[in-house]
Amino acid sequence: MRHSFRAVSSIFLLIAAIPYISSTQTILHSLDNAPVVHFTVARRGGTFEATVPGNNSVEMDFLLEQLEMAEARFNLTRREVKGNKLVRKAKSRALGGKDDDELMGQMASNGTWFARLAIGEPPQAIDLDLNMLTSDFYIRHTTSHAGTRYDDLFSKSFAKSNQHPYRSCTLPTDKFHFPTVDKSIPLPFPYCRPLKGSKDTLQASGSMLGLAPSKHLRQIDSTFLLHQLLKERVVERPIFSLMLVSGNEGVLSIGGTGAGAAEMVSKQTAEQLDRAGAQEKINAFTAENGKTLEGGTNSLDKANIPEEKTILHKRGDEAHGLKAKRANWKDGWTWSKVQGAEGWWQTLMQGVWVGGSRVLQNQAAVIDVGLRAKSAHQSMLTKSQINTPFILAPPLAVKTLYAAVAGSRPLDPPYSNFYVFPCMNPPSIEFEFQGTRFPAMQGGRGMEYASAIIPGGKFSLGRLKHGSGYCVGAIVETRMGLKEEKEGMTGGRKQGIGSAAANVGSLAGNGMRDVWVIGERFFRGVTGVFDVQEKRIGFRAY
């Protein structure tokens, strides 16, 4: 565990220094036979906290608000039949979605996971917000002072275009400066400037990177960013991966993964720790016997320290630097095919394990890693669409899971979506994909909490009340799809829903009934790689 902690810290520091240390670029590129763009990602506003500072008790009204806002994100799309398959598309205003001239996704919200991207000559830094529920990549320039702004007037390399891929959006070209890429790349991109009379111009400036795998979730008639990078040969593989190092730091890799670098650092760190421990033994032997070992400080065989004799030799020379390169990047991953309505990263979770026993099997799950949420002690006045800070599960699954957690119980309405468990007895939970079990929500909630005492550990959102022995569980019941489906099946006409044929009958609702939403809390300790071409997800513990 000590080795793993230091290794993950090292890989984050190594990749975080990419823009500043040329030798780091060489190291990272050497770990893959193909070029990879590595972004450091951060969480705006820091790690999610639902507790009141000072007593670790949660604000239940705040959690309920977060749940409602999280569920709303999944209600912005509808399903329809295209050819011989079921696909997801953005809802129109008549179907309860956003305004017809508004794109899905919210920029510069507190808690958003984002990367930093430089555009133009001279380079202008802009935040790139991650969103796994849409496929659009675009930059928005508004009159608001919120967010980060790219202004074409200050770029010498900006090239205008008369194309309009979306309302109030053009398709110009400018130079992009990607991390770990040695040269700037001219790329066309949707540049959206809402009209001054539009309410959208009051929203924050910034950019959105949609990571959903389906073209049907694009609202803008332009190419997916990954496809653009493939076309320009910036990267060679149609994949991206995300590794969350802690609750507010991580690495996004496009065209490859950071797994090889993590393994290299892990092996080197372990070897260095072992050598340091062996050296301490040698020093102790020298001090005790008053003489130096023959053959140098590494001659452990000369010392009577049998328990340390094999430590320096068990890993071999392949732990060094460039020899960590993998012959096949696909090795070492557990692959799970994407299924369900085409659009999101939805797959089959074969099992949920509690305390070493399987309590659920064959559960549909949407992977939504680009999570965002405000902290309880931040302002709650801004009403914005946010990603869930929880793991969401359907009612029957939540009831079955918590039945296996000794001492757990649901809260009374209006908080009946939430369960509590004894803080002193947090459960051990694992999610199973393709026969491999991955630990979920175990240990501390992030490295920033390593020295803090958090009641209930990573599975806890916080103590129910000040001084209470019960903690609120991070797996929360969601009733998404139930109400909408019922209204559609009965011909309900709330907000014009019943008048649309696409929202009646078997396609009613948002299709989220009996579906889990697995996000950030699972991916602290598990790396995910997303294969856009093969439509599959790879999992790997680190």
Side-chain angles (χ1 to χ4, degrees):
M1 181 62 69
R2 179 184 63 177
H3 294 182
S4 176
F5 180 91
R6 296 192 182 184
V8 174
S9 299
S10 299
I11 183 59
F12 175 72
L13 292 174
L14 179 116
I15 296 180
I18 287 170
Y20 312 104
I21 305 176
S22 58
S23 61
T24 300
Q25 295 185 10
T26 303
I27 292 172
L28 284 173
H29 278 294
S30 70
L31 299 179
D32 206 313
N33 295 323
V36 181
V37 178
H38 295 283
F39 288 96
T40 57
V41 295
R43 191 173 195 165
R44 191 175 287 108
T47 305
F48 172 77
E49 271 299 292
T51 57
V52 177
N55 61 15
N56 283 326
S57 63
V58 298
E59 289 279 358
M60 289 306 304
D61 289 335
F62 169 75
L63 286 181
L64 188 60
E65 178 195 37
Q66 301 298 293
L67 175 61
E68 293 172 351
M69 296 170 74
E71 291 178 336
R73 294 182 60 251
F74 294 88
N75 203 35
L76 297 177
T77 64
R78 60 184 174 88
R79 296 172 297 162
E80 67 176 49
V81 177
K82 282 284 186 180
N84 61 350
K85 58 184 177 182
L86 196 61
V87 303
R88 287 191 176 275
K89 298 193 69 175
K91 282 184 180 179
S92 66
R93 178 171 50 184
L95 289 174
K98 287 184 171 291
D99 292 343
D100 292 337
D101 60 348
E102 190 174 358
L103 292 164
M104 288 194 297
Q106 188 74 25
M107 293 180 184
S109 297
N110 270 332
T112 305
W113 283 95
F114 70 95
R116 183 60 58 87
L117 182 65
I119 308 175
E121 292 291 350
Q124 301 177 45
I126 189 171
D127 290 347
L128 189 63
D129 289 16
L130 311 182
N131 192 329
M132 299 192 72
L133 301 186
T134 181
S135 299
D136 289 321
F137 165 66
Y138 65 98
I139 295 174
R140 184 172 64 193
H141 179 133
T142 70
T143 59
S144 171
H145 294 292
T148 54
R149 179 181 299 176
Y150 161 82
D151 197 327
D152 59 291
L153 296 177
F154 299 107
S155 176
K156 298 178 182 179
S157 54
F158 180 85
K160 293 183 179 180
S161 170
N162 293 324
Q163 298 184 54
H164 290 272
Y166 195 76
R167 299 174 183 87
S168 71
C169 299
T170 59
L171 195 64
T173 299
D174 209 339
K175 292 184 177 180
F176 283 65
H177 307 269
F178 293 103
T180 67
V181 175
D182 299 330
K183 61 179 181 178
S184 59
I185 310 295
L187 293 176
F189 63 96
Y191 187 42
C192 305
R193 304 187 69 166
L195 298 175
K196 292 183 179 180
S198 169
K199 64 180 178 64
D200 289 344
T201 197
L202 300 177
Q203 298 182 6
S205 297
S207 63
M208 179 70 65
L209 177 58
L211 297 172
S214 174
K215 63 181 181 181
H216 299 288
L217 281 176
R218 295 180 200 156
Q219 295 174 272
I220 302 176
D221 295 329
S222 63
T223 54
F224 187 41
L225 179 61
L226 176 57
H227 293 163
Q228 289 179 279
L229 297 181
L230 289 168
K231 181 180 179 181
E232 297 296 328
R233 298 187 180 278
V234 178
V235 298
E236 297 178 7
R237 295 171 181 153
I239 63 174
F240 68 91
S241 70
L242 188 65
M243 179 171 62
L244 300 184
V245 180
S246 67
N248 58 1
E249 299 169 324
V251 178
L252 169 69
S253 303
I254 298 180
T257 77
E263 289 181 355
M264 181 196 75
V265 174
S266 177
K267 291 179 179 179
Q268 288 181 334
T269 302
E271 184 181 69
Q272 290 170 3
L273 289 171
D274 287 342
R275 288 186 181 278
Q279 184 62 51
E280 291 177 2
K281 289 286 187 179
I282 293 173
N283 293 341
F285 177 86
T286 301
E288 181 179 350
N289 294 275
K291 61 181 180 178
T292 302
L293 294 175
E294 297 180 2
T297 58
N298 289 331
S299 301
L300 294 185
D301 291 338
K302 302 295 184 180
N304 187 21
I305 316 175
E307 65 274 16
E308 297 288 349
K309 286 180 64 175
T310 59
I311 289 182
L312 292 181
H313 307 284
K314 66 181 181 181
R315 287 180 174 83
D317 292 336
E318 66 271 11
H320 293 284
L322 306 184
K323 293 185 180 181
K325 183 187 298 183
R326 285 186 171 274
N328 189 340
W329 70 271
K330 300 177 183 178
D331 294 342
W333 298 90
T334 297
W335 293 101
S336 183
K337 294 290 291 184
V338 171
Q339 57 181 236
E342 181 181 312
W344 296 335
W345 292 103
Q346 181 173 327
T347 189
L348 180 67
M349 182 166 59
Q350 293 181 322
V352 178
W353 297 70
V354 179
S357 299
R358 178 191 273 179
V359 297
L360 291 164
Q361 62 181 356
N362 297 333
Q363 303 287 301
V366 170
I367 307 299
D368 183 21
V369 184
L371 305 180
R372 50 186 173 180
K374 298 176 293 184
S375 294
H377 53 271
Q378 294 172 338
S379 172
M380 295 171 57
L381 298 179
T382 303
K383 299 292 184 179
S384 60
Q385 298 298 331
I386 63 166
N387 293 27
T388 171
F390 325 110
I391 287 181
L392 302 181
L396 182 58
V398 170
K399 183 178 181 180
T400 303
L401 183 146
Y402 279 101
V405 180
S408 65
R409 59 179 175 83
L411 294 178
D412 295 330
Y415 311 119
S416 54
N417 297 74
F418 298 88
Y419 279 67
V420 294
F421 67 95
C423 297
M424 298 298 292
N425 188 32
S428 172
I429 296 178
E430 297 170 304
F431 294 156
E432 179 184 350
F433 295 95
Q434 293 299 311
T436 302
R437 290 153 55 179
F438 295 91
M441 296 173 294
Q442 296 181 15
R445 282 187 286 181
M447 294 181 183
E448 67 276 14
Y449 289 95
S451 60
I453 300 176
I454 303 298
K458 193 174 181 180
F459 184 63
S460 170
L461 293 172
R463 199 179 295 276
L464 178 61
K465 296 179 181 178
H466 181 60
S468 171
Y470 282 92
C471 289
V472 180
I475 295 181
V476 178
E477 178 181 324
T478 176
R479 293 151 194 172
M480 283 191 294
L482 297 176
K483 182 179 179 181
E484 295 85 359
E485 185 173 318
K486 182 178 179 181
E487 289 177 349
M489 294 294 289
T490 58
R493 294 183 175 273
K494 184 177 181 181
Q495 296 181 344
I497 293 177
S499 61
N503 208 59
V504 177
S506 61
L507 298 184
N510 53 22
M512 289 299 292
R513 179 175 180 175
D514 298 328
V515 177
W516 288 61
V517 178
I518 297 178
E520 174 193 329
R521 287 178 177 267
F522 173 65
F523 282 91
R524 297 184 204 170
V526 176
T527 301
V529 60
F530 302 84
D531 191 330
V532 176
Q533 180 172 305
E534 299 294 333
K535 297 293 190 297
R536 59 180 183 171
I537 309 169
F539 301 96
R540 186 180 196 160
Y542 66 84

